[in-house]
């Protein structure tokens, strides 16, 4: 008997996006169960692949190309997605992600880390493009950041002005936060009529031992001493801008969360908001089996990550759910999943899995289809 299978993974960070991962899993599933109806619902939590997920999951979504200033100061071909009009957004919703405009992936492989000079100007330029299109609402994904500029690059692109003691504009990136002495947000573009929702998978404050610099600075190339310098720069910014540096998520994306709070945006847990916007609950309610996944499923994955949220939705609907991950660590709790598949185990090593993720995701799809063949 034909069944409906919903495939709703996150991206496998650094190797394959959510939409491509879902397609590979579906290919594998169909080799074993060609009569099943497979629905692809790629997910995201605000990071890499957010735009792709909405483009693939929402009927009528349109990809809008835009060229922006990348985190190294060079032009980057990016895009945002225009979602169709709804009652809540009569002129459509613009989905913009930091990852494809100002993200760390844009610094190369391996990335040419620029702890003090990478910036978020391109993210702001893409937001400005969506505003110019006349959208009623913005959905902003802020994962996969390359910088620790407190969102100053983004805000500058939207009309803000940050200056040093001499009244000159500050440099792009965290380097400009050292001499910053004034912030003028009066020229900021207004929010769209139905506001801006920010998708984030972290709750860190802007400053301190759990702040943007201390927790995420080293990932962006900062040494221990440079972390202190970055934190001090963010503190100078916080003293000039009317936003709460202690708010949950203010430290997300190198402080871009703080900058968006200053603009008046609302920060929300990414995976839950994406699920609502793409209609996950309804899709799962009509499914026989749900498949979800991410790059690394570990002891922290239950805290707001995509597989945990998809699993909870499936459990509430009494639908069995399977997990696929690049790796599943020993401390991970997989008790809520009816079946699991590790790409590392299928490929024989993490290196082999990362070298050709589509191949091993296809294999994982087939493995799971066999596991559910008699259920």
């Amino acid at each position: 008997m034909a069944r409906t299978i919903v495939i709703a993974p996150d991206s496998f960070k650094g190797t394959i996006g959510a939409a491509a991962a879902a397609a590979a899993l579906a290919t594998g599933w169909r080799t074993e169960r060609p009569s099943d109806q497979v629905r692809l619902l790629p997910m995201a939590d605000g990071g890499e692949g957010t735009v792709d997920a909405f483009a693939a999951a929402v009927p009528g979504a349109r990809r809008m190309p835009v060229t922006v200033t990348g985190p190294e100061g060079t032009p980057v071909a990016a895009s945002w997605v225009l979602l169709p009009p709804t009652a809540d957004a009569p002129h459509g919703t613009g989905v913009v992600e930091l990852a494809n405009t100002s993200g760390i992936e844009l610094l190369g492989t391996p990335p040419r880390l620029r702890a003090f000079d990478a910036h978020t100007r391109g993210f702001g330029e893409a937001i400005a493009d969506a505003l110019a299109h006349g959208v009623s609402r913005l959905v902003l994904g802020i994962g996969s950041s390359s910088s620790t500029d407190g969102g100053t690059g983004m805000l500058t692109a939207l009309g803000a002005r940050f200056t040093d003691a001499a009244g000159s504009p500050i440099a792009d990136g965290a380097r400009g936060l050292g001499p910053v002495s004034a912030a003028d947000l009066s020229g900021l573009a207004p929010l769209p009529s139905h506001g801006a929702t920010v998708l984030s998978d972290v709750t860190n404050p802007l400053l301190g031992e759990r702040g943007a610099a201390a927790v995420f600075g080293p990932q962006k190339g900062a040494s221990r001493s440079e972390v202190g310098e970055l934190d001090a720069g963010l503190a100078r910014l916080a003293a000039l801008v009317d936003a709460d540096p202690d708010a949950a998520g203010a430290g997300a994306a190198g402080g871009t969360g703080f900058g968006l709070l200053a603009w008046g945006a609302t920060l929300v847990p990414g995976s839950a908001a994406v699920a609502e916007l793409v209609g996950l609950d309804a899709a799962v309610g009509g499914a026989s089996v749900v498949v979800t996944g991410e790059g690394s499923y570990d002891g922290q994955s239950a805290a707001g990550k995509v597989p945990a949220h998809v699993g909870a939705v499936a459990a509430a609907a009494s639908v069995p759910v399977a997990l696929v991950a690049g790796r599943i660590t020993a401390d991970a709790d997989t008790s809520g999943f009816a079946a699991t598949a590790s790409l590392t185990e299928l490929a024989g090593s993490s290196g082999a899995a990362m070298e050709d993720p589509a191949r091993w995701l296809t294999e994982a799809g087939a493995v799971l289809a066999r596991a559910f063949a008699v259920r």
Side-chain angles (χ1 to χ4, degrees):
M1 183 177 68
R3 302 174 300 177
T4 298
I5 313 302
V6 170
I7 299 182
D10 196 355
S11 65
F12 286 57
K13 190 170 183 180
T15 60
I16 190 169
L25 286 165
T27 297
W29 189 284
R30 290 182 179 120
T31 63
E32 298 292 328
R33 298 278 304 182
S35 64
D36 284 349
Q37 301 297 314
V38 180
R39 179 175 179 184
L40 307 188
L41 208 67
M43 294 287 293
D45 58 15
E48 174 191 9
T50 297
V51 159
D52 291 339
F54 277 99
V58 179
R62 292 169 52 199
R63 193 179 291 273
M64 311 295 285
V66 61
T67 299
V68 302
T69 306
E72 294 184 293
T74 54
V76 166
S79 64
W80 56 277
V81 164
L82 176 63
L83 303 184
T86 64
D88 292 335
H91 297 291
T93 295
V95 181
V96 188
E97 73 173 44
L98 186 149
N100 81 7
T101 54
S102 303
I104 196 167
E105 290 83 3
L106 299 176
L107 298 180
T109 306
R112 302 173 293 275
L113 298 175
R114 298 164 60 88
F116 283 88
D117 297 304
H119 55 78
T120 55
R121 184 180 291 270
F123 183 44
E125 291 170 348
I127 294 170
D129 192 67
L131 290 173
H133 194 84
V135 298
S136 299
R137 178 175 59 170
L138 287 168
V139 174
L140 307 174
I142 61 171
S144 306
S145 164
S146 63
S147 64
T148 311
D149 73 351
T152 52
M154 170 201 66
L155 292 173
T156 297
L158 290 171
R161 191 164 185 266
F162 299 93
T163 53
D164 60 20
S168 300
I170 62 171
D172 281 335
R175 192 171 303 281
L177 299 182
V180 68
S181 63
D184 180 2
L185 306 189
S186 63
L188 271 176
L191 289 170
S193 59
H194 289 63
T197 300
V198 182
L199 311 178
S200 175
D201 64 350
V202 302
T203 58
N204 302 71
L206 181 67
L207 306 172
E209 62 182 17
R210 291 187 56 252
V215 176
F216 306 112
Q219 301 170 12
K220 301 167 186 178
S223 66
R224 181 173 298 183
S225 62
E226 288 172 335
V227 163
E229 189 174 345
L230 291 172
D231 193 63
L234 291 171
R236 281 189 285 274
L237 176 67
L240 299 171
V241 173
D242 185 17
D244 182 6
D246 295 324
T256 303
F258 176 77
L260 287 165
L261 287 172
W263 190 32
T266 301
L267 273 61
V268 301
S271 56
V274 172
E276 180 181 354
L277 286 162
V278 303
L280 179 71
D281 284 30
V284 168
S288 305
V289 178
V290 175
V291 180
T292 188
E294 66 178 352
S296 176
Y297 194 81
D298 55 34
Q300 303 300 314
S301 294
K305 299 292 186 177
V306 164
H309 185 77
V310 174
V313 171
S318 299
V319 176
V321 59
L323 170 73
V324 180
R327 63 169 188 160
I328 300 174
T329 64
D331 64 336
D333 179 6
T334 60
S335 61
F337 297 100
T340 63
S342 162
L343 303 191
T344 295
E345 291 183 7
L346 291 172
S349 70
S350 60
M354 294 177 71
E355 185 175 339
D356 194 356
R359 172 188 174 185
W360 298 110
L361 282 161
T362 300
E363 178 63 23
V367 166
L368 293 175
R370 290 194 294 270
F372 283 92
V374 295
R375 300 190 182 202

